Amino acid sequence: MFAKFDVENSGGRHSPTIIRYEADELHRMRGGKLLDEYFPEGTVMYRDGVAGWEEAVDVVTAPLVDLGRIKPSYVEAIKASIRKPGGTYIDLGQGIAMAHARPEAGVVTTSLSVLKVGKPFLLADSQDHPISTFFCLAAQDSNSHLNLMQSLATFLSDGKNQERLGKAANVEELRTILKEER
């Protein structure tokens, strides 16, 4: 289950790899998932650019709709939320935004998708909100929402991860960043 580690003979230091392995196993034992496990096949995307924020919403949600993880009504709820005054609250800073809506708007299965664009688009057409990394969060219920938000918040609160996302130039680089998020 856990890798054994002899602290006494190691000078009191844990290997970061072993600590990460044990933390991952403990997280899974508690029913949690690692961040990269929330991204189904085909939901990590890169494009040079998009025509605007509505196209970005369509692109980031399309694989989740195609896989039956969200309904088209969820996409429309996201757009309606962004159009409302204050809809740019999904801008997390550093060119990163997280599109989402209420679960009852059409979430079938908890999952994530992400779109990285080479040329930032303006969220809600606002010059104050240029976005280059656009996540779509779809949580089936409040427990899933909390687990997913915790995983994503932990990942995004790390300045190195923000920097790496900003520099990612293709799907393979994005996948690597998401797999190494711990």
Side-chain angles (χ1 to χ4, degrees), residues 39 42-64 94-99 112-121 123 130-137 152 156 165-166 168-171 174-175 178:
F39 289 94
T43 60
V44 177
M45 300 161 280
Y46 180 90
R47 284 204 175 173
D48 290 332
V50 291
W53 70 267
E54 289 194 57
E55 181 181 356
V57 170
D58 289 337
V59 172
V60 78
T61 58
L64 297 177
Q94 305 299 315
I96 301 167
M98 183 176 51
L112 282 168
S113 61
V114 63
L115 169 65
K116 171 73 164 92
V117 292
K119 181 182 176 203
F121 62 90
L123 186 60
I131 303 298
S132 58
T133 305
F134 199 39
F135 287 91
C136 176
L137 180 147
L152 193 55
L156 293 174
L165 282 173
N170 57 54
V171 170
L174 282 170
R175 281 192 184 127
L178 294 168

Side-chain angles (χ1 to χ4, degrees), residues 35 38-40 43 45 57 60-61 64 69-71 74-75 77-78 89-90 92 97-115 134-154 156:
L35 183 61
Y38 287 106
F39 289 94
T43 60
M45 300 161 280
V57 170
V60 78
T61 58
L64 297 177
R69 292 181 173 250
I70 61 173
K71 296 176 182 176
Y74 192 72
V75 179
I78 289 171
Y89 77 95
I90 66 170
L92 305 177
M98 183 176 51
H100 61 284
R102 302 282 311 153
E104 59 271 13
V107 176
V108 177
T109 305
T110 299
S111 33
L112 282 168
S113 61
V114 63
L115 169 65
F134 199 39
F135 287 91
C136 176
L137 180 147
Q140 192 173 2
D141 55 45
S142 60
N143 287 338
S144 300
H145 182 82
L146 290 174
N147 288 335
L148 185 52
M149 285 293 293
Q150 180 181 8
S151 294
L152 193 55
T154 299
L156 293 174

Side-chain angles (χ1 to χ4, degrees), residues 149-178:
M149 285 293 293
Q150 180 181 8
S151 294
L152 193 55
T154 299
F155 171 73
L156 293 174
S157 66
D158 184 329
K160 289 180 184 178
N161 288 335
Q162 293 172 11
E163 182 180 340
R164 292 174 69 204
L165 282 173
K167 292 180 179 178
N170 57 54
V171 170
E172 293 75 26
E173 289 177 12
L174 282 170
R175 281 192 184 127
T176 298
I177 294 164
L178 294 168

